[in-house]
Amino acid sequence: MAAVSATTGEVKLLGLWRSPYVTRVGIALNLKKVGYEFVQEEVQGQKSEILLKSNPVYKKIPVLIHQGKPVCESAIIVEYIDEIWTSEPPILPSHPFDRAVARFWVTYIDDKLLALVRTLVFGATEGTSKAEVADGGAEAFQLLEEAFAKCSHGKEYFGGDTIGYLDIALGCWLGWIKAVEDVSNIKFLDEKKVPLLVGWAERFLQNEAVKGTMLEADEYVQRVKNLSASAR
C-alpha cells in the first residue's frame, strides 16, 4: 500500500492499512523519513507467528519491530519513533505542558471516535438512539474544533507548521469518519459547525506523509457497509 523503502530490514511494521492505528504509525514513519518493511497481517482467523511472538499480551496490530525488538500500541510506537529518529522535526511538542495536553486529547480521540465508529457501524446499544449517538459525535467534534484553535496557534496543524502527535491521532480516523458519514447520512465534519477542522482535514489528507497510508474513500465505505450488514 505505502511507498516505502526497506533497504536495511532494520524496521518492520506489522499491520493492515484499514486499521487507523496502523495508519497512525505509518504516518509517523513517513514524517521521519524512515524506510521500513510493511508486513501484512490479517486480524481475523489465524494470526501469524511473528505477530504472536512480537505482541504476546494483546496479540494485536500494529507492532513496530526495530533492530529485532518489538514495540506495541500505536500511541507508544509514535512516541518511540519520535525519540529514536531525531533528524526530522519532532512529532510531539517540546514543552512538557504542551505534550501533556496533546496526550490528553489523543486519549480522548481514541475513546470517543472508536466508540462513535463502532456504534454507527454495528448499531446503537439498547436504550440509545441514533440521534443520541449523532449528538454525542457532534459534541466531540465541537470540542476538537476548540482544541484545534488553541493548539494550532493559528497555523495549519494541531502541531503548528507541521503535522504533530495530535494531527496523527485524529487524522488516522478520517477515512472511517467520512465513510460512516456517507453510510449513516450524519455529517460530523460540517463546514458550518467545525470550519477549522474541515480545513485541517483537507490539508492533512493532502500531506505527502499521509498519502499511501490510507485506503481509497470508497474502500472505507464498502468496509463500513460490509461490517454493518454482518452485524444485522
Side-chain angles (χ1 to χ4, degrees):
M1 180 80 188
V4 295
S5 170
T7 56
T8 65
E10 155 182 273
V11 182
K12 294 182 180 180
L13 173 58
L14 311 185
L16 192 64
W17 283 125
R18 68 171 180 255
S19 165
Y21 303 110
V22 175
T23 295
R24 183 177 290 182
V25 177
I27 293 169
L29 288 168
N30 289 347
L31 285 170
K32 292 292 188 172
K33 296 182 172 58
V34 179
Y36 64 98
E37 177 186 351
F38 186 73
V39 181
Q40 180 97 349
E41 286 286 341
E42 292 299 331
V43 294
Q44 297 175 336
Q46 185 67 34
K47 297 186 178 182
S48 72
E49 183 178 343
I50 189 173
L51 176 60
L52 296 175
K53 182 179 178 181
S54 301
N55 191 357
V57 177
Y58 290 115
K59 305 177 179 64
K60 292 181 179 180
I61 55 173
V63 177
L64 182 78
I65 301 176
H66 179 217
Q67 296 180 338
K69 297 177 181 179
V71 185
C72 306
E73 296 296 302
S74 64
I76 294 171
I77 296 171
V78 171
E79 294 200 29
Y80 177 85
I81 290 169
D82 197 34
E83 292 176 4
I84 291 293
W85 290 281
T86 57
S87 60
E88 297 298 322
I91 294 173
L92 271 76
S94 59
H95 194 280
F97 176 77
D98 293 334
R99 284 199 302 275
V101 169
R103 287 172 176 141
F104 169 85
W105 284 111
V106 169
T107 300
Y108 178 84
I109 288 165
D110 283 348
D111 178 37
K112 296 295 183 180
L113 294 197
L114 176 59
L116 177 66
V117 169
R118 277 183 172 171
T119 301
L120 291 175
V121 170
F122 295 109
T125 57
E126 187 176 347
T128 303
S129 68
K130 185 178 178 180
E132 288 174 320
V133 173
D135 288 344
E139 181 182 2
F141 278 95
Q142 187 59 56
L143 288 172
L144 289 167
E145 172 87 351
E146 294 169 10
F148 180 85
K150 292 178 181 178
C151 295
S152 67
H153 301 292
K155 297 182 179 179
E156 293 195 332
Y157 299 103
F158 282 95
D161 292 318
T162 59
I163 287 177
Y165 191 47
L166 189 45
D167 296 284
I168 296 172
L170 180 57
C172 70
W173 284 101
L174 286 173
W176 284 98
I177 292 299
K178 289 176 179 291
V180 295
E181 284 183 330
D182 184 278
V183 174
S184 67
N185 293 315
I186 299 173
K187 193 73 171 173
F188 296 111
L189 288 169
D190 187 331
E191 193 166 9
K192 293 181 180 179
K193 296 179 180 179
V194 288
L196 297 179
L197 281 185
V198 170
W200 162 83
E202 292 175 356
R203 292 189 296 274
F204 181 86
L205 292 172
Q206 291 301 312
N207 192 284
E208 288 301 319
V210 177
K211 293 178 180 179
T213 65
M214 302 178 76
L215 304 180
E216 295 296 328
D218 59 343
E219 293 181 82
Y220 284 110
V221 171
Q222 189 58 53
R223 183 65 182 164
V224 168
K225 287 180 178 178
N226 292 344
L227 289 171
S228 297
S230 68
R232 294 194 187 106

